[in-house]
Amino acid sequence: MIRTVAVFTGTRAEYGLLYWLLKDIQACADFDLRIIAGGMHFSPEFGETWRQIEEDGFHIDAKVELLLSSNSSVGVVKSMGVGMIGFADALDRLRPDILLVLGDRFETIAIAQSALIMQIPIGHIHGGEITEGAYDDAIRHAITKMASFHFVAAEPYRERVVQMGEQPDRVLCVGAVGLDHITRSTRLTLHELATSLRFDLRRPYFLVTYHPVTAANEDPVSVFKCLLEALDFFPDYQVIITYPNADNGGRYIIPLLKQYAEEHPSRILAIASLGSERYLSAMSYAAAVVGNSSSGIIEAPALNRPTVNIGVRQEGRLASASVVNCGVDLPSIRGALNVALSEAHSDAIKKAKNPYGQGDAAAAIVQFLASSKFDVPKKFYDLE
């Protein structure tokens, strides 16, 4: 019997991570894929990235517009409420046998709550991780308790999910799904990337993404200004800056990066969304990946690129030796950039190991789902 698998995506980054899993589900004769898209995908401000989903050959079965144009926590909560109304209608119409969600964002917990109440089993990807600088941390653990199946990125995360009371035989360590791009996707040459971006990339460059920190005393505007000042100490390097996500405070950063790019048009490129192919291509040639995105922790080490990880947003995550952690002030960021560009750090990267798997997560998830029963009641697992 063919079973319906619904997959939710709410952001450009999350969709990029899910791409090969979506392809493998789509190709599996046991499953009927249904895609539910919402959040940033439908915002012109963030690039209307739903178009990329359809250009990649997928059909969006439910479009849930929920994002309010707000910088406040109140706006985020109201967006979640709007989303739950749309998710209820979408799930009621599609009635999937299982819903797959990835990660820890507010859009994701909104659909997970909807599925929980509607008794639709949930498979959760990237549970068990720690990111102490964002309320995403609590969201991730909450989704774990709503989910019946778990696909984690490393063994310590599997142990943590089991510690939270989840049945061990339902917690599978598959590695990070985003690394499937490293082993399976083609990447643009540097010339093709420059042509696509309409931006000269003959000089070395930094790839920069900074997101607001939502659960710590880290003002996004002041930190981002320090980051821009630090970049000015490296005038021989060009900079590709992508927009932040739609968390509260993110819209304060966008005017700053736009102005910075306008003041340095030949050196700085500001772009709402690169898309998966261009983002990973840009990362593979970057002199350093800079900011506080999880991609600097998970994907950049797999491409042997140095990362400057700023502040506490990713604090608690497993990290390769290629990652240089630093504070949020100008001297710390500037110093970390110097370390990341050093010959000694380049030598260290060659010996570093990425703790997030081998780039074969999607196939493992599909194989596990194909052999699983979705309607078995969930029970709490007590540690001995």
Side-chain angles (χ1 to χ4, degrees), residues 275-326:
S276 298
E277 182 181 55
R278 292 194 303 187
Y279 185 75
L280 285 173
S281 298
M283 181 180 286
S284 66
Y285 302 116
V289 177
V290 184
N292 62 1
S293 168
S294 62
S295 61
I297 306 294
I298 298 174
E299 283 86 10
L303 291 167
N304 296 318
R305 307 319 301 152
T307 296
V308 172
N309 179 54
I310 300 170
V312 299
R313 189 170 188 268
Q314 300 297 336
E315 195 165 298
R317 267 206 168 113
L318 296 173
S320 163
S322 62
V323 178
V324 181
N325 296 305
C326 69

Side-chain angles (χ1 to χ4, degrees), residues 198-248:
R198 299 180 181 177
F199 188 67
D200 188 348
L201 290 175
R202 282 179 287 185
R203 287 188 284 165
Y205 64 87
F206 300 130
L207 178 61
V208 177
T209 304
Y210 178 79
H211 298 301
V213 172
T214 54
N217 186 23
E218 189 176 306
D219 176 59
V221 172
S222 62
V223 176
F224 194 68
K225 286 181 177 178
C226 287
L227 169 56
L228 297 183
E229 289 182 45
L231 295 174
D232 285 338
F233 281 94
F234 300 85
D236 294 334
Y237 289 81
Q238 295 176 288
V239 182
I240 300 174
I241 308 181
T242 63
Y243 281 25
N245 59 31
D247 290 333
N248 39 297

